[in-house]
Amino acid sequence: LSKVLDLPPEKLVKSISAVPVSKKRRVADFQLSIASVTEDSSSDCLAQDLDLQAQKLAERLKCDAVVSEISTGPGTLNFTINRELLAKTVLQQVLKDGSEYGVRSELFSTVPRQKAVIEFSSPNIAKKFHIGHLRSTIVGNFIANLKVALGHEVTRINYLGDWGMQFGLLGVGFQRFGNKEKLKFSPLQHLFEVYVQINKAAEDENTKKLAKDFFRKLEEHDEQTLSLWKQFRDFSIEEYIQVYKRLGVHFDEYSGESFYQEKSQEVLKMLEDKGLLQKTTKGTGIVDLSEKKDLSTFSTVMRSDGTSLYITRQVSPSVDLAAAIDRMNKHSWDTMIYVTDKSQSNHFQHLFQILKLMGYDWAERCQHVSFGLVQGMKTRRGEVIFLEDVLNEVRSRMLQNMASSKTTKEIDDPMETAEKVGLAALIIQDFRGLLSSDYQFSWDRALQSRGDTGVFLQYTHARLHSLEQMHGNEQLTDVNAACLQEPDAIAVLQHLLRYDEVLYRSSQDLQPKHIVSYLLTLSHLAAVAHKTLPVKGSTPDLAQARLCLFQAARSVLANGMKLLGITPVTQM
Protein backbone atom coordinates (compact mmCIF):
# COMPACT_ATOMS: atom_id res chain seq x y z
CA LEU A 1 0.00 0.00 0.00
CA SER A 2 2.76 2.36 0.93
CA LYS A 3 4.34 1.98 -2.53
CA VAL A 4 1.11 2.36 -4.49
CA LEU A 5 -0.29 5.24 -2.44
CA ASP A 6 3.11 6.86 -1.97
CA LEU A 7 2.51 7.27 1.77
CA PRO A 8 4.92 6.34 4.59
CA PRO A 9 3.88 3.00 6.21
CA GLU A 10 3.39 4.62 9.65
CA LYS A 11 0.74 6.88 8.11
CA LEU A 12 -1.26 3.76 7.23
CA VAL A 13 -1.18 2.06 10.63
CA LYS A 14 -4.40 3.65 11.86
CA SER A 15 -6.17 3.38 8.48
CA ILE A 16 -5.92 -0.41 8.42
CA SER A 17 -7.97 -2.37 10.91
CA ALA A 18 -8.73 -5.99 11.61
CA VAL A 19 -12.20 -7.01 10.47
CA PRO A 20 -14.61 -8.02 13.27
CA VAL A 21 -15.59 -11.69 13.08
CA SER A 22 -19.11 -12.32 11.83
CA LYS A 23 -21.27 -15.31 12.76
CA LYS A 24 -23.11 -15.15 9.47
CA ARG A 25 -20.34 -15.17 6.91
CA ARG A 26 -16.64 -15.56 6.25
CA VAL A 27 -14.85 -12.21 6.42
CA ALA A 28 -11.49 -10.89 5.24
CA ASP A 29 -8.74 -10.27 7.81
CA PHE A 30 -7.92 -6.59 7.34
CA GLN A 31 -9.61 -3.62 5.82
CA LEU A 32 -8.37 -0.27 4.66
CA SER A 33 -10.75 2.66 5.00
CA ILE A 34 -10.50 4.58 1.72
CA ALA A 35 -11.77 7.84 3.25
CA SER A 36 -8.81 7.92 5.64
CA VAL A 37 -6.20 7.85 2.87
CA THR A 38 -7.77 10.07 0.20
CA GLU A 39 -6.37 13.54 -0.33
CA ASP A 40 -9.88 14.92 -0.59
CA SER A 41 -10.85 14.52 3.03
CA SER A 42 -13.86 16.83 2.81
CA SER A 43 -16.95 15.09 4.09
CA ASP A 44 -18.88 15.68 0.86
CA CYS A 45 -16.91 12.93 -0.82
CA LEU A 46 -19.78 10.74 -2.02
CA ALA A 47 -20.11 7.09 -1.12
CA GLN A 48 -20.00 6.02 -4.77
CA ASP A 49 -16.79 8.04 -5.32
CA LEU A 50 -15.17 6.17 -2.44
CA ASP A 51 -16.35 2.83 -3.84
CA LEU A 52 -14.91 3.79 -7.21
CA GLN A 53 -11.59 4.77 -5.60
CA ALA A 54 -11.55 1.45 -3.75
CA GLN A 55 -12.10 -0.36 -7.03
CA LYS A 56 -9.31 1.58 -8.76
CA LEU A 57 -6.90 0.98 -5.93
CA ALA A 58 -7.71 -2.74 -5.91
CA GLU A 59 -6.78 -2.96 -9.57
CA ARG A 60 -3.33 -1.51 -8.83
CA LEU A 61 -2.57 -4.07 -6.12
CA LYS A 62 -1.47 -7.65 -6.66
CA CYS A 63 -1.81 -10.71 -4.44
CA ASP A 64 1.46 -12.23 -3.23
CA ALA A 65 2.84 -14.66 -0.68
CA VAL A 66 1.27 -12.63 2.14
CA VAL A 67 -2.03 -11.42 0.71
CA SER A 68 -4.06 -14.19 -0.92
CA GLU A 69 -7.16 -12.20 -1.84
CA ILE A 70 -8.12 -8.52 -2.32
CA SER A 71 -11.75 -7.43 -2.50
CA THR A 72 -13.70 -4.19 -2.09
CA GLY A 73 -16.54 -3.33 0.26
CA PRO A 74 -18.48 -0.10 0.84
CA GLY A 75 -15.67 2.48 0.99
CA THR A 76 -13.15 -0.18 1.99
CA LEU A 77 -10.50 -2.40 0.55
CA ASN A 78 -10.38 -5.88 2.12
CA PHE A 79 -7.36 -8.14 2.43
CA THR A 80 -7.33 -11.85 3.17
CA ILE A 81 -3.98 -13.11 4.41
CA ASN A 82 -2.41 -16.42 3.43
CA ARG A 83 -4.09 -18.76 5.93
CA GLU A 84 -0.96 -20.56 7.06
CA LEU A 85 0.93 -17.31 7.56
CA LEU A 86 -1.99 -15.84 9.52
CA ALA A 87 -2.08 -18.76 11.94
CA LYS A 88 1.69 -18.89 12.37
CA THR A 89 2.15 -15.13 12.88
CA VAL A 90 -0.75 -14.62 15.29
CA LEU A 91 0.09 -17.63 17.47
CA GLN A 92 3.80 -16.82 17.60
CA GLN A 93 3.08 -13.21 18.52
CA VAL A 94 0.58 -14.08 21.25
CA LEU A 95 2.78 -16.70 22.87
CA LYS A 96 5.98 -14.67 22.52
CA ASP A 97 4.56 -11.41 23.92
CA GLY A 98 2.64 -13.16 26.71
CA SER A 99 1.09 -10.59 29.03
CA GLU A 100 2.31 -7.78 26.76
CA TYR A 101 0.42 -9.00 23.70
CA GLY A 102 -1.57 -6.15 22.19
CA VAL A 103 0.25 -3.56 24.26
CA ARG A 104 3.35 -3.76 22.10
CA SER A 105 1.32 -2.96 18.99
CA GLU A 106 2.46 -0.16 16.67
CA LEU A 107 -0.84 1.57 17.52
CA PHE A 108 0.79 2.62 20.78
CA SER A 109 4.19 3.52 19.35
CA THR A 110 3.38 7.24 19.15
CA VAL A 111 1.71 7.41 22.57
CA PRO A 112 4.05 9.12 25.05
CA ARG A 113 4.66 7.43 28.41
CA GLN A 114 3.12 9.59 31.11
CA LYS A 115 2.72 10.08 34.83
CA ALA A 116 -0.89 9.69 35.88
CA VAL A 117 -2.52 10.32 39.24
CA ILE A 118 -5.85 8.54 39.70
CA GLU A 119 -8.12 9.33 42.62
CA PHE A 120 -10.78 6.71 43.22
CA SER A 121 -12.89 4.83 45.79
CA SER A 122 -12.77 7.62 48.42
CA PRO A 123 -15.27 6.44 51.06
CA ASN A 124 -16.25 8.49 54.12
CA ILE A 125 -15.06 7.26 57.48
CA ALA A 126 -17.90 6.14 59.79
CA LYS A 127 -20.43 6.25 56.97
CA LYS A 128 -21.70 3.51 54.66
CA PHE A 129 -19.44 2.33 51.87
CA HIS A 130 -22.27 2.62 49.41
CA ILE A 131 -22.50 1.12 46.00
CA GLY A 132 -21.22 4.31 44.34
CA HIS A 133 -17.94 3.75 46.15
CA LEU A 134 -17.85 0.20 44.80
CA ARG A 135 -18.26 1.50 41.24
CA SER A 136 -15.59 4.14 41.80
CA THR A 137 -13.27 1.44 43.17
CA ILE A 138 -13.58 -1.01 40.27
CA VAL A 139 -13.61 1.69 37.57
CA GLY A 140 -10.57 3.47 39.04
CA ASN A 141 -8.75 0.17 39.38
CA PHE A 142 -9.45 -0.68 35.72
CA ILE A 143 -8.13 2.71 34.52
CA ALA A 144 -5.01 2.32 36.68
CA ASN A 145 -4.41 -1.27 35.42
CA LEU A 146 -4.80 -0.20 31.81
CA LYS A 147 -2.41 2.74 32.18
CA VAL A 148 0.20 0.57 33.93
CA ALA A 149 -0.09 -2.09 31.20
CA LEU A 150 0.54 0.61 28.60
CA GLY A 151 3.75 1.61 30.36
CA HIS A 152 2.56 4.73 32.18
CA GLU A 153 3.59 5.54 35.73
CA VAL A 154 0.50 5.54 37.94
CA THR A 155 -0.14 6.80 41.47
CA ARG A 156 -3.37 5.45 42.98
CA ILE A 157 -4.86 7.76 45.59
CA ASN A 158 -7.73 7.07 47.99
CA TYR A 159 -9.05 10.45 49.14
CA LEU A 160 -10.96 9.74 52.33
CA GLY A 161 -13.82 11.77 53.76
CA ASP A 162 -12.03 12.09 57.10
CA TRP A 163 -12.82 15.64 58.24
CA GLY A 164 -15.73 17.96 58.89
CA MET A 165 -18.50 18.58 61.43
CA GLN A 166 -19.58 14.93 61.40
CA PHE A 167 -16.36 14.14 63.28
CA GLY A 168 -17.49 16.45 66.07
CA LEU A 169 -20.64 14.38 66.31
CA LEU A 170 -18.74 11.11 66.00
CA GLY A 171 -16.29 12.14 68.72
CA VAL A 172 -19.11 12.94 71.13
CA GLY A 173 -20.85 9.70 70.13
CA PHE A 174 -17.73 7.70 70.82
CA GLN A 175 -17.28 9.28 74.24
CA ARG A 176 -20.88 8.28 74.98
CA PHE A 177 -21.32 4.88 73.27
CA GLY A 178 -17.86 3.89 72.09
CA ASN A 179 -15.81 0.86 73.01
CA LYS A 180 -12.03 0.75 72.45
CA GLU A 181 -12.00 -3.03 71.95
CA LYS A 182 -14.72 -2.95 69.31
CA LEU A 183 -12.98 -0.05 67.60
CA LYS A 184 -9.85 -2.15 67.26
CA PHE A 185 -11.65 -5.33 66.26
CA SER A 186 -14.12 -3.99 63.68
CA PRO A 187 -13.73 -0.24 63.28
CA LEU A 188 -16.01 0.34 60.27
CA GLN A 189 -18.93 -1.50 61.84
CA HIS A 190 -18.46 0.02 65.28
CA LEU A 191 -18.02 3.63 64.14
CA PHE A 192 -21.06 3.28 61.92
CA GLU A 193 -23.15 2.01 64.87
CA VAL A 194 -21.90 4.84 67.09
CA TYR A 195 -22.69 7.38 64.36
CA VAL A 196 -26.23 6.04 63.94
CA GLN A 197 -26.81 6.18 67.72
CA ILE A 198 -25.50 9.71 68.20
CA ASN A 199 -27.40 10.92 65.14
CA LYS A 200 -30.63 10.20 66.99
CA ALA A 201 -29.59 12.84 69.52
CA ALA A 202 -28.11 15.22 66.94
CA GLU A 203 -30.98 17.70 67.20
CA ASP A 204 -30.54 18.05 70.94
CA GLU A 205 -28.98 21.47 71.72
CA ASN A 206 -26.52 20.10 74.26
CA THR A 207 -25.27 17.42 71.82
CA LYS A 208 -24.92 20.05 69.09
CA LYS A 209 -22.82 22.23 71.38
CA LEU A 210 -20.59 19.31 72.45
CA ALA A 211 -20.08 18.28 68.81
CA LYS A 212 -19.11 21.84 67.87
CA ASP A 213 -16.67 21.95 70.77
CA PHE A 214 -15.14 18.61 69.83
CA PHE A 215 -14.63 19.67 66.23
CA ARG A 216 -13.19 23.03 67.30
CA LYS A 217 -10.67 21.21 69.48
CA LEU A 218 -9.87 19.01 66.51
CA GLU A 219 -9.20 22.08 64.38
CA GLU A 220 -7.03 23.55 67.12
CA HIS A 221 -5.06 20.29 67.21
CA ASP A 222 -5.93 19.48 70.82
CA GLU A 223 -3.82 16.42 71.61
CA GLN A 224 -6.47 14.16 73.17
CA THR A 225 -9.13 14.90 70.55
CA LEU A 226 -6.66 14.52 67.71
CA SER A 227 -5.43 11.18 69.05
CA LEU A 228 -8.97 9.78 69.14
CA TRP A 229 -9.65 11.03 65.59
CA LYS A 230 -6.35 9.48 64.47
CA GLN A 231 -7.45 6.12 65.87
CA PHE A 232 -10.74 6.35 63.95
CA ARG A 233 -8.79 7.03 60.78
CA ASP A 234 -5.92 4.55 61.21
CA PHE A 235 -8.06 1.58 62.27
CA SER A 236 -10.52 2.27 59.45
CA ILE A 237 -7.73 2.35 56.88
CA GLU A 238 -6.32 -0.93 58.22
CA GLU A 239 -9.70 -2.58 57.76
CA TYR A 240 -10.19 -1.00 54.32
CA ILE A 241 -6.83 -2.38 53.18
CA GLN A 242 -8.02 -5.90 54.08
CA VAL A 243 -11.32 -5.47 52.25
CA TYR A 244 -9.64 -3.93 49.20
CA LYS A 245 -7.30 -6.92 49.15
CA ARG A 246 -10.30 -9.17 48.57
CA LEU A 247 -11.20 -6.96 45.61
CA GLY A 248 -7.62 -7.16 44.31
CA VAL A 249 -7.22 -3.39 44.70
CA HIS A 250 -4.39 -1.44 46.31
CA PHE A 251 -3.53 2.24 46.81
CA ASP A 252 -0.21 4.04 46.83
CA GLU A 253 -1.53 6.79 49.04
CA TYR A 254 -4.34 7.21 51.57
CA SER A 255 -4.96 10.93 51.48
CA GLY A 256 -7.97 12.80 52.80
CA GLU A 257 -9.69 16.10 53.37
CA SER A 258 -7.94 16.39 56.73
CA PHE A 259 -4.57 16.86 54.98
CA TYR A 260 -5.62 20.08 53.33
CA GLN A 261 -7.21 22.17 56.07
CA GLU A 262 -4.33 24.65 56.43
CA LYS A 263 -3.56 24.52 52.73
CA SER A 264 -7.17 25.34 51.85
CA GLN A 265 -6.80 28.56 53.85
CA GLU A 266 -3.73 29.37 51.75
CA VAL A 267 -5.78 28.76 48.60
CA LEU A 268 -8.45 31.19 49.82
CA LYS A 269 -5.69 33.74 50.34
CA MET A 270 -4.36 33.12 46.82
CA LEU A 271 -7.85 33.60 45.40
CA GLU A 272 -8.13 36.83 47.33
CA ASP A 273 -4.73 38.09 46.15
CA LYS A 274 -5.66 37.37 42.54
CA GLY A 275 -8.90 39.28 42.96
CA LEU A 276 -10.97 36.17 42.28
CA LEU A 277 -12.66 35.90 45.68
CA GLN A 278 -15.85 37.90 46.09
CA LYS A 279 -17.97 38.25 49.22
CA THR A 280 -21.76 38.07 49.06
CA THR A 281 -23.93 40.24 51.30
CA LYS A 282 -24.23 37.26 53.64
CA GLY A 283 -20.45 37.06 53.82
CA THR A 284 -19.93 33.78 51.93
CA GLY A 285 -16.91 33.68 49.62
CA ILE A 286 -17.59 32.93 45.96
CA VAL A 287 -15.67 32.78 42.67
CA ASP A 288 -17.44 34.12 39.57
CA LEU A 289 -17.21 31.57 36.74
CA SER A 290 -19.48 33.25 34.20
CA GLU A 291 -18.21 34.39 30.79
CA LYS A 292 -19.74 37.86 31.11
CA LYS A 293 -18.75 38.21 34.75
CA ASP A 294 -22.40 38.62 35.75
CA LEU A 295 -22.37 35.83 38.40
CA SER A 296 -24.68 33.68 36.28
CA THR A 297 -22.45 30.75 37.34
CA PHE A 298 -20.33 30.86 40.45
CA SER A 299 -18.77 28.51 42.94
CA THR A 300 -18.98 28.93 46.71
CA VAL A 301 -15.60 28.39 48.36
CA MET A 302 -16.00 29.81 51.86
CA ARG A 303 -18.63 29.89 54.60
CA SER A 304 -19.66 33.20 56.10
CA ASP A 305 -17.72 32.43 59.31
CA GLY A 306 -14.51 32.33 57.29
CA THR A 307 -13.96 28.59 57.38
CA SER A 308 -13.57 26.69 54.16
CA LEU A 309 -16.55 24.58 53.26
CA TYR A 310 -16.16 20.95 54.00
CA ILE A 311 -19.67 19.87 54.83
CA THR A 312 -19.70 17.54 51.85
CA ARG A 313 -17.49 17.19 48.87
CA GLN A 314 -20.08 18.67 46.53
CA VAL A 315 -19.63 22.12 48.00
CA SER A 316 -16.02 22.05 49.06
CA PRO A 317 -13.80 23.30 46.24
CA SER A 318 -11.15 25.01 48.36
CA VAL A 319 -10.02 21.72 49.92
CA ASP A 320 -9.97 20.05 46.51
CA LEU A 321 -8.12 23.00 44.99
CA ALA A 322 -5.48 22.65 47.68
CA ALA A 323 -5.26 18.89 47.04
CA ALA A 324 -4.86 19.33 43.27
CA ILE A 325 -2.11 21.94 43.64
CA ASP A 326 -0.33 19.85 46.26
CA ARG A 327 -0.40 16.74 44.05
CA MET A 328 1.04 18.69 41.14
CA ASN A 329 3.91 19.85 43.35
CA LYS A 330 4.48 16.39 44.74
CA HIS A 331 4.03 14.14 41.68
CA SER A 332 4.36 16.57 38.74
CA TRP A 333 1.84 14.48 36.85
CA ASP A 334 0.88 14.65 33.16
CA THR A 335 -2.73 13.73 33.76
CA MET A 336 -4.95 13.55 36.85
CA ILE A 337 -8.18 11.56 36.80
CA TYR A 338 -10.99 11.73 39.34
CA VAL A 339 -13.40 8.79 39.35
CA THR A 340 -16.75 9.63 40.99
CA ASP A 341 -20.45 9.44 40.22
CA LYS A 342 -21.97 11.88 37.77
CA SER A 343 -23.77 13.92 40.44
CA GLN A 344 -20.37 15.55 41.06
CA SER A 345 -19.77 16.63 37.45
CA ASN A 346 -20.58 20.24 38.26
CA HIS A 347 -18.23 20.27 41.22
CA PHE A 348 -15.32 19.12 39.05
CA GLN A 349 -16.16 21.45 36.22
CA HIS A 350 -16.00 24.33 38.70
CA LEU A 351 -12.83 22.98 40.25
CA PHE A 352 -11.02 22.85 36.88
CA GLN A 353 -12.33 26.31 35.91
CA ILE A 354 -11.10 27.89 39.15
CA LEU A 355 -7.66 26.29 38.75
CA LYS A 356 -7.48 27.75 35.26
CA LEU A 357 -8.48 31.22 36.51
CA MET A 358 -5.72 30.92 39.12
CA GLY A 359 -3.26 30.54 36.25
CA TYR A 360 -2.69 26.79 36.44
CA ASP A 361 -2.66 25.70 32.80
CA TRP A 362 -2.38 22.07 33.85
CA ALA A 363 -6.06 22.21 34.80
CA GLU A 364 -6.72 21.19 31.20
CA ARG A 365 -5.03 17.87 31.91
CA CYS A 366 -7.42 17.08 34.76
CA GLN A 367 -10.25 14.76 33.89
CA HIS A 368 -13.42 13.65 35.63
CA VAL A 369 -14.48 10.12 34.71
CA SER A 370 -18.07 9.94 35.87
CA PHE A 371 -20.39 6.98 36.16
CA GLY A 372 -24.12 6.41 36.57
CA LEU A 373 -26.04 5.04 39.52
CA VAL A 374 -26.70 1.40 40.32
CA GLN A 375 -30.20 0.58 41.48
CA GLY A 376 -31.38 -2.50 43.28
CA MET A 377 -28.15 -3.76 44.85
CA LYS A 378 -29.50 -5.47 47.98
CA THR A 379 -28.17 -8.34 50.04
CA ARG A 380 -30.40 -11.01 51.59
CA ARG A 381 -30.13 -9.16 54.89
CA GLY A 382 -31.27 -5.87 53.36
CA GLU A 383 -29.39 -2.89 52.05
CA VAL A 384 -25.67 -2.76 51.45
CA ILE A 385 -23.86 -0.96 54.24
CA PHE A 386 -20.28 -2.07 53.79
CA LEU A 387 -18.24 -3.23 50.84
CA GLU A 388 -17.72 -6.44 52.77
CA ASP A 389 -21.49 -7.12 52.63
CA VAL A 390 -21.31 -7.19 48.84
CA LEU A 391 -18.25 -9.46 48.77
CA ASN A 392 -19.73 -11.89 51.27
CA GLU A 393 -23.04 -11.95 49.44
CA VAL A 394 -21.53 -12.62 46.05
CA ARG A 395 -19.33 -15.35 47.52
CA SER A 396 -22.18 -17.15 49.30
CA ARG A 397 -24.49 -16.98 46.26
CA MET A 398 -21.73 -18.30 44.02
CA LEU A 399 -20.91 -21.14 46.44
CA GLN A 400 -24.57 -22.11 46.39
CA ASN A 401 -24.65 -22.10 42.57
CA MET A 402 -21.46 -24.14 42.40
CA ALA A 403 -22.80 -26.68 44.88
CA SER A 404 -25.98 -27.21 42.88
CA SER A 405 -24.26 -27.29 39.48
CA LYS A 406 -23.71 -30.66 37.80
CA THR A 407 -20.48 -29.60 36.12
CA THR A 408 -18.61 -28.51 39.25
CA LYS A 409 -15.64 -30.73 39.98
CA GLU A 410 -13.97 -31.16 43.35
CA ILE A 411 -11.89 -28.02 43.73
CA ASP A 412 -9.11 -27.16 46.14
CA ASP A 413 -10.48 -23.96 47.63
CA PRO A 414 -14.19 -23.49 46.85
CA MET A 415 -14.45 -20.33 49.01
CA GLU A 416 -11.72 -18.53 47.14
CA THR A 417 -12.91 -19.72 43.74
CA ALA A 418 -16.46 -18.60 44.53
CA GLU A 419 -15.16 -15.18 45.53
CA LYS A 420 -13.13 -14.72 42.34
CA VAL A 421 -15.92 -15.94 40.08
CA GLY A 422 -18.48 -13.84 41.95
CA LEU A 423 -16.30 -10.75 41.60
CA ALA A 424 -15.96 -11.37 37.88
CA ALA A 425 -19.77 -11.49 37.73
CA LEU A 426 -20.07 -8.13 39.52
CA ILE A 427 -17.42 -6.45 37.40
CA ILE A 428 -18.72 -7.67 34.04
CA GLN A 429 -22.30 -6.68 34.88
CA ASP A 430 -21.00 -3.23 35.81
CA PHE A 431 -18.70 -2.77 32.81
CA ARG A 432 -20.95 -3.99 30.02
CA GLY A 433 -22.53 -0.63 29.22
CA LEU A 434 -21.28 2.94 29.08
CA LEU A 435 -20.01 3.97 32.50
CA SER A 436 -22.21 7.06 32.51
CA SER A 437 -25.44 5.08 32.22
CA ASP A 438 -27.45 4.04 35.27
CA TYR A 439 -28.37 0.37 35.48
CA GLN A 440 -30.57 -1.99 37.43
CA PHE A 441 -28.50 -4.54 39.31
CA SER A 442 -29.65 -8.16 39.30
CA TRP A 443 -27.94 -10.99 41.18
CA ASP A 444 -29.61 -13.64 39.03
CA ARG A 445 -28.52 -12.06 35.78
CA ALA A 446 -24.98 -11.41 37.01
CA LEU A 447 -24.45 -14.96 38.23
CA GLN A 448 -25.79 -16.90 35.23
CA SER A 449 -23.27 -19.39 33.92
CA ARG A 450 -24.45 -19.11 30.32
CA GLY A 451 -24.74 -15.87 28.41
CA ASP A 452 -22.65 -12.73 28.60
CA THR A 453 -21.51 -12.85 32.21
CA GLY A 454 -18.33 -12.86 34.26
CA VAL A 455 -19.16 -16.42 35.30
CA PHE A 456 -19.03 -17.48 31.64
CA LEU A 457 -15.59 -15.82 31.20
CA GLN A 458 -14.24 -17.62 34.26
CA TYR A 459 -15.78 -20.92 33.15
CA THR A 460 -14.17 -20.58 29.70
CA HIS A 461 -10.80 -19.77 31.23
CA ALA A 462 -10.98 -22.74 33.59
CA ARG A 463 -11.96 -25.11 30.76
CA LEU A 464 -9.13 -23.97 28.51
CA HIS A 465 -6.73 -24.25 31.41
CA SER A 466 -7.72 -27.83 32.18
CA LEU A 467 -7.39 -28.71 28.48
CA GLU A 468 -3.75 -27.58 28.69
CA GLN A 469 -3.24 -29.55 31.93
CA MET A 470 -4.62 -32.69 30.36
CA HIS A 471 -2.32 -32.57 27.34
CA GLY A 472 0.96 -31.63 28.93
CA ASN A 473 1.51 -28.05 29.92
CA GLU A 474 4.58 -27.18 27.85
CA GLN A 475 4.89 -23.97 25.85
CA LEU A 476 4.36 -24.95 22.23
CA THR A 477 6.64 -23.22 19.79
CA ASP A 478 6.86 -25.07 16.55
CA VAL A 479 3.40 -26.04 15.36
CA ASN A 480 2.15 -26.91 11.91
CA ALA A 481 -0.08 -23.93 11.12
CA ALA A 482 -1.46 -25.65 8.03
CA CYS A 483 -3.58 -27.70 10.46
CA LEU A 484 -5.65 -24.66 11.45
CA GLN A 485 -7.77 -24.13 8.36
CA GLU A 486 -11.28 -24.78 9.73
CA PRO A 487 -13.60 -21.75 9.85
CA ASP A 488 -13.90 -22.04 13.66
CA ALA A 489 -10.10 -21.92 14.04
CA ILE A 490 -9.81 -18.99 11.62
CA ALA A 491 -12.51 -17.09 13.54
CA VAL A 492 -10.49 -17.32 16.78
CA LEU A 493 -7.30 -16.21 14.98
CA GLN A 494 -9.07 -13.26 13.34
CA HIS A 495 -10.48 -12.20 16.68
CA LEU A 496 -7.03 -12.36 18.31
CA LEU A 497 -5.80 -9.98 15.59
CA ARG A 498 -8.11 -7.27 16.90
CA TYR A 499 -7.04 -7.22 20.54
CA ASP A 500 -4.66 -4.27 20.18
CA GLU A 501 -7.37 -2.14 18.55
CA VAL A 502 -9.73 -2.82 21.42
CA LEU A 503 -7.07 -1.87 23.98
CA TYR A 504 -6.39 1.27 21.99
CA ARG A 505 -10.06 2.24 22.00
CA SER A 506 -10.36 1.73 25.75
CA SER A 507 -7.16 3.71 26.32
CA GLN A 508 -8.65 6.62 24.37
CA ASP A 509 -12.05 6.90 26.06
CA LEU A 510 -11.32 4.98 29.31
CA GLN A 511 -14.46 2.85 28.82
CA PRO A 512 -14.04 -0.81 29.80
CA LYS A 513 -16.99 -1.97 27.68
CA HIS A 514 -14.83 -2.42 24.54
CA ILE A 515 -12.64 -4.94 26.35
CA VAL A 516 -15.65 -6.65 27.96
CA SER A 517 -17.45 -7.29 24.67
CA TYR A 518 -14.18 -8.41 23.07
CA LEU A 519 -13.59 -11.01 25.82
CA LEU A 520 -17.18 -12.26 25.71
CA THR A 521 -16.90 -12.80 21.95
CA LEU A 522 -13.52 -14.49 22.43
CA SER A 523 -15.09 -16.86 24.96
CA HIS A 524 -18.01 -17.68 22.65
CA LEU A 525 -15.64 -18.35 19.73
CA ALA A 526 -13.36 -20.48 21.91
CA ALA A 527 -16.36 -22.46 23.22
CA VAL A 528 -17.46 -23.26 19.66
CA ALA A 529 -13.93 -24.22 18.61
CA HIS A 530 -13.59 -26.38 21.73
CA LYS A 531 -16.60 -28.39 20.54
CA THR A 532 -15.70 -28.69 16.86
CA LEU A 533 -11.91 -29.00 17.05
CA PRO A 534 -11.10 -31.82 19.46
CA VAL A 535 -7.55 -32.23 20.71
CA LYS A 536 -8.09 -35.72 22.09
CA GLY A 537 -7.99 -38.42 19.42
CA SER A 538 -6.50 -36.17 16.71
CA THR A 539 -3.17 -36.82 14.97
CA PRO A 540 -0.17 -35.43 16.89
CA ASP A 541 0.29 -32.53 14.42
CA LEU A 542 -3.34 -31.54 14.55
CA ALA A 543 -3.58 -31.93 18.34
CA GLN A 544 -0.50 -29.73 18.84
CA ALA A 545 -1.78 -27.00 16.53
CA ARG A 546 -5.21 -26.93 18.18
CA LEU A 547 -3.70 -26.94 21.63
CA CYS A 548 -1.58 -23.97 20.62
CA LEU A 549 -4.69 -22.13 19.38
CA PHE A 550 -6.50 -22.72 22.69
CA GLN A 551 -3.42 -21.71 24.63
CA ALA A 552 -3.29 -18.40 22.75
CA ALA A 553 -7.01 -17.79 23.35
CA ARG A 554 -6.62 -18.48 27.07
CA SER A 555 -3.59 -16.21 27.33
CA VAL A 556 -5.41 -13.22 25.79
CA LEU A 557 -8.55 -13.96 27.81
CA ALA A 558 -6.49 -13.94 31.02
CA ASN A 559 -4.71 -10.69 30.06
CA GLY A 560 -7.98 -8.93 29.36
CA MET A 561 -9.61 -10.19 32.54
CA LYS A 562 -6.69 -8.98 34.64
CA LEU A 563 -6.95 -5.50 33.12
CA LEU A 564 -10.60 -5.39 34.18
CA GLY A 565 -9.59 -6.32 37.72
CA ILE A 566 -10.61 -9.98 37.54
CA THR A 567 -8.39 -12.84 38.75
CA PRO A 568 -8.80 -15.76 36.31
CA VAL A 569 -9.57 -19.09 38.01
CA THR A 570 -8.05 -22.38 36.88
CA GLN A 571 -10.72 -24.72 38.24
CA MET A 572 -14.43 -24.32 38.55
Side-chain angles (χ1 to χ4, degrees), residues 239-250:
E239 190 175 346
Y240 270 132
I241 288 172
Q242 291 315 309
V243 182
Y244 285 132
K245 211 186 233 151
R246 284 177 67 180
L247 260 181
V249 171
H250 71 277

Side-chain angles (χ1 to χ4, degrees), residues 9-222:
E10 56 275 13
K11 265 272 189 320
L12 294 164
V13 167
K14 285 187 181 154
S15 306
I16 300 174
S17 56
V19 181
V21 175
S22 155
K23 278 187 183 154
K24 300 186 183 60
R25 56 194 174 82
R26 201 172 65 84
V27 293
D29 303 313
F30 290 104
Q31 60 181 202
L32 168 76
S33 139
I34 298 291
S36 66
V37 292
T38 47
E39 295 303 304
D40 177 30
S41 58
S42 58
S43 54
D44 54 1
C45 197
L46 296 169
Q48 59 249 48
D49 294 347
L50 288 175
D51 293 351
L52 194 65
Q53 284 182 352
Q55 229 100 57
K56 279 189 180 149
L57 183 55
E59 283 158 18
R60 294 168 63 195
L61 296 165
K62 291 186 179 61
C63 294
D64 57 14
V66 176
V67 177
S68 58
E69 194 185 319
I70 299 172
S71 64
T72 59
T76 62
L77 200 52
N78 306 320
F79 301 91
T80 302
I81 304 297
N82 167 330
R83 286 294 164 240
E84 221 169 301
L85 185 72
L86 177 78
K88 210 180 171 96
T89 315
V90 171
L91 295 179
Q92 270 178 352
Q93 196 76 44
V94 173
L95 299 174
K96 185 181 104 227
D97 287 353
S99 64
E100 293 194 331
Y101 176 68
V103 172
R104 289 184 163 188
S105 154
E106 57 269 32
L107 279 178
F108 294 106
S109 59
T110 54
V111 178
R113 302 277 174 266
Q114 292 189 319
K115 267 186 166 178
V117 166
I118 304 174
E119 181 204 289
F120 62 106
S121 195
S122 309
N124 297 306
I125 286 180
K127 290 200 183 160
K128 297 174 191 178
F129 187 106
H130 59 73
I131 220 61
H133 293 128
L134 174 65
R135 268 203 111 172
S136 171
T137 308
I138 58 180
V139 172
N141 187 48
F142 157 70
I143 294 173
N145 290 346
L146 183 60
K147 295 239 176 231
V148 167
L150 295 174
H152 303 297
E153 193 183 317
V154 173
T155 304
R156 304 163 186 243
I157 296 182
N158 198 340
Y159 184 73
L160 300 171
D162 63 358
W163 201 251
M165 267 314 285
Q166 77 260 29
F167 282 90
L169 204 53
L170 187 64
V172 174
F174 194 78
Q175 287 162 346
R176 214 174 283 179
F177 309 111
N179 173 322
K180 286 264 158 122
E181 273 310 294
K182 281 186 182 169
L183 179 66
K184 240 194 185 121
F185 182 66
S186 85
L188 299 177
Q189 178 77 32
H190 185 53
L191 287 175
F192 178 67
E193 283 165 3
V194 166
Y195 195 60
V196 169
Q197 274 179 294
I198 192 69
N199 248 319
K200 290 177 186 152
E203 287 312 302
D204 161 57
E205 285 309 314
N206 186 33
T207 307
K208 267 189 190 161
K209 186 183 165 309
L210 289 170
K212 249 194 166 130
D213 289 348
F214 188 95
F215 187 54
R216 201 195 63 246
K217 282 185 185 162
L218 204 50
E219 292 199 288
E220 289 163 359
H221 296 223
D222 167 68

